Structure formats: structure tokens, C-alpha cells
Amino acid sequence: MSERGLPENYFRYPRRGRRLDHDWFGRRLMHDATPFAWPGGKKLAVWIGMTLEHFPIDMSGLPFMPTGGMVRPAPSYWDYTQRDYGNRIGAYRLFEAFDAHAIRPDIIANLAALERHPALTAELDRRGLDVIAGGLDMTCLHHADLPEAAERAMISDCLDGLHALTGKRPRGWLGPGQSVSPRTFALLAEAGVDHALDLNNDELPYDIAVPFGRLSSLPVNYELSDRRIMVELGQSAACYRAQIEAACARLAREATPQAPRLLMVMLSPWVSGQPFRIAEIEALLATLAAEAEAVFLGAGAIMDASRNPFA
């Protein structure tokens, strides 16, 4: 045992080295990114994603509790109904806010959320919105101790189920709680997934090294998510709006037609769809829509543009 009472091999990680501790991607600085252009020559792309999630009432918290998971011991009807508010009310309030500016958000959906709320599935179909696979539900996490066969089945069941419900097989993936195992990316590529939103270390897409097909990281800045700022940090909707607007202004100032920038904004209906917050969200969307250098793009369009560099 070590001085800290831990096993001697506790700090031994076979992948550790002087560079990166994995082989999924290499180092890249922003100024090394291959030049490309957003549609219309805009300097800033704005992606809006809205989550539709199912937090089971008996969440165990193992191997970890994702943000938004149950705070009280199971069964917690208080936690459960607070999260379910988003699927019953908050999502429709956000849809109205999007409509005011002709914004088409991408939907990050747990399969269980759409199975349990057929009215929501019908609403997505009516609006023709693209769905990014969000796993089976918020308890089905991806982690190192998960057997490979079980993880492969979780991915295929989610993709197949969403395909059956929506009529389209998702191109993108965001694991529940942004959970990733050492095998997740290879299994996603094997299943035909095109891009994953689980990593946070960039502001533009980049390729992930996988043995099958092509998989790219479309990095979501979790620091700018509503649940990070308003739930974890307990800040107001006005503070949240100010931070997104500051990020938008900075990125627009940094961007050029040859070196564009990307702002990723992810909203949770049970957070941003509350009546005391929605006015700030509406004002935020108005600011983003008024940015002359910006264009709203879905994940698929972002990937297509970023993979077509200048000659």
C-alpha cells in the first residue's frame, strides 16, 4: 500500500505518456485547423440543441450520477417530476421560442423519452427536426466496466429504436451524461455513426481515430450549457444569457471567412423551459439571430461543411 492507503498500482495507467494518454486523437491548436467555410460565407455557425431525456425514478447513481440525475434516494417522485416537466411543458415552450426566429434545433433524444412521449415524437416529425441519439435513457451509461457486447447492444438498440420512431437513422451521438468507455468511439463508428458530441476540448470538429468508417468529434462546450450554469452553478437565466452572448461576440470577432468559428448552445427543457427563465432564453435567441456574421446550422450541415476544406 502507498502512503495514501491506496494500492501501489493505483496511479499506473498503461496509456500514460509524455503526450496524450490515448490514441483517439492527436494534438491540434486552433490555428492548425484546416481552412473551410460555412454556407453563405458566414464567419460564425451557431448550433442549437435541445435535449429530450428520461431520468428513471430509481436511478442508482452507479457508476456515477449524470447531471440532472436523482438528488434524493429512490424512488424520488420530486426529482422525477421536475425532470419530466421538460417533456410535458418545457419543450413546447422552447419550440415557441425557436419558431419566433425560424430556428430549427437538433434534438438530442433518449430512446425512452420518445417512446414514453409519442406526442413529442409526432411534434418532431411535424417539424422535420433531426434527432441525435442520446442513448437508451439517463441510467444507461457508458463506462470502462461495461462489457463490450452489452455496450454494442445499447448503441444498436438506441439507433434502431430511434430509426423506427422517427423514420431516420441518427448520424450523431451524445452519450447519456456525456459518458464514454474506452470502446465507445469504435463501436459508434462500427454502427455507422458519423459524429459524436461527447468531447469538450475544441471549438471546431476534428476526426477521431477509429478502425471503421469515419467518426468526428463535434465538441459541445459543457461550460456553456444551461444545466451547467443554471443547475450546477446556480446562476440566473440573465447570467446564462450574458455568458452566451459574450461567447458569441468573442467568437464572431475572432472569426474570418477562412478561419470560421462555431458556437454550440445546448438547452434542457426542464431547465430553460421554465416560465421564469423563458424570457431570457427568448432574448438570447433574438441576439443570436441578429448577429450579422452568424448562420444557424444543424450538426449534419456543420459536419458536411467542415469536411470540405478549401482547395
Side-chain angles (χ1 to χ4, degrees):
M1 300 292 286
S2 68
E3 293 179 358
R4 306 181 195 183
L6 297 171
E8 292 293 341
N9 65 351
Y10 184 81
F11 295 104
R12 294 176 190 165
Y13 177 59
R15 307 295 301 179
R16 192 178 308 283
R18 290 182 177 273
R19 301 188 67 191
L20 299 178
D21 296 330
H22 57 80
D23 295 324
W24 291 119
F25 52 84
R27 295 193 183 281
R28 186 192 77 177
L29 302 179
M30 181 63 82
H31 63 257
D32 294 329
T34 303
F36 66 92
W38 299 128
K42 295 293 187 178
K43 296 195 299 182
L44 176 66
V46 178
W47 174 85
I48 305 291
M50 186 179 81
T51 60
L52 296 177
E53 300 160 316
H54 173 58
F55 292 89
I57 201 169
D58 59 349
M59 294 183 74
S60 68
L62 298 174
F64 67 92
M65 185 67 77
T67 302
M70 304 296 107
V71 176
R72 303 178 182 184
S76 175
Y77 298 97
W78 182 85
D79 286 308
Y80 179 84
T81 54
Q82 183 185 39
R83 278 57 171 175
D84 197 43
Y85 177 94
N87 296 327
R88 296 161 63 96
I89 298 174
Y92 297 95
R93 194 168 279 141
L94 283 175
F95 281 140
E96 291 180 1
F98 298 140
D99 288 346
H101 303 287
I103 296 171
R104 290 170 51 84
D106 279 347
I107 303 300
I108 303 97
N110 294 156
L111 175 60
L114 297 192
E115 287 179 333
R116 288 167 171 264
H117 297 275
L120 271 177
T121 306
E123 187 69 17
L124 302 186
D125 180 64
R126 185 179 73 81
R127 293 170 174 272
L129 298 178
D130 289 331
V131 172
I132 292 171
L136 296 174
D137 65 35
M138 296 305 287
T139 62
C140 294
L141 305 177
H142 298 255
H143 55 93
D145 292 332
L146 184 65
E148 180 175 337
E151 185 172 16
R152 180 180 284 108
M154 286 165 55
I155 291 171
S156 63
D157 288 350
C158 176
L159 295 173
D160 292 346
L162 289 173
H163 188 183
L165 286 174
T166 66
K168 292 177 64 177
R169 192 170 182 85
R171 285 181 62 180
W173 176 275
L174 176 64
Q178 291 188 277
S179 58
V180 176
S181 85
R183 297 173 299 275
T184 301
F185 295 134
L187 294 175
L188 290 175
E190 178 186 284
V193 172
D194 180 74
H195 49 275
L197 289 75
D198 300 288
L199 305 178
N200 303 279
N201 61 339
D202 213 304
E203 289 177 349
L204 289 174
Y206 61 86
D207 280 349
I208 299 172
V210 290
F212 312 95
R214 185 176 186 182
L215 181 70
S216 297
S217 170
L218 180 55
V220 174
N221 189 341
Y222 184 68
E223 293 298 307
L224 290 179
S225 66
D226 58 354
R227 65 179 70 185
R228 168 62 176 165
I229 293 173
M230 291 191 277
V231 177
E232 288 187 337
L233 301 181
Q235 298 181 18
S236 69
C239 288
Y240 176 66
R241 171 190 168 191
Q243 290 175 71
I244 299 294
E245 290 179 347
C248 178
R250 179 61 184 232
L251 291 170
R253 187 166 78 247
E254 291 179 354
T256 70
Q258 292 74 35
R261 293 290 183 264
L262 172 63
L263 175 64
M264 305 281 286
V265 179
M266 187 151 59
L267 301 173
S268 307
W270 60 275
V271 179
S272 290
Q274 297 285 346
F276 65 96
R277 292 181 176 132
I278 193 64
E280 293 292 346
I281 301 302
E282 291 169 337
L284 168 62
L285 296 176
T287 298
L288 297 177
E291 173 53 60
E293 299 294 345
V295 58
F296 289 102
L297 294 178
I302 291 170
M303 294 311 310
D304 293 342
S306 67
R307 288 174 173 175
N308 286 279
F310 294 123

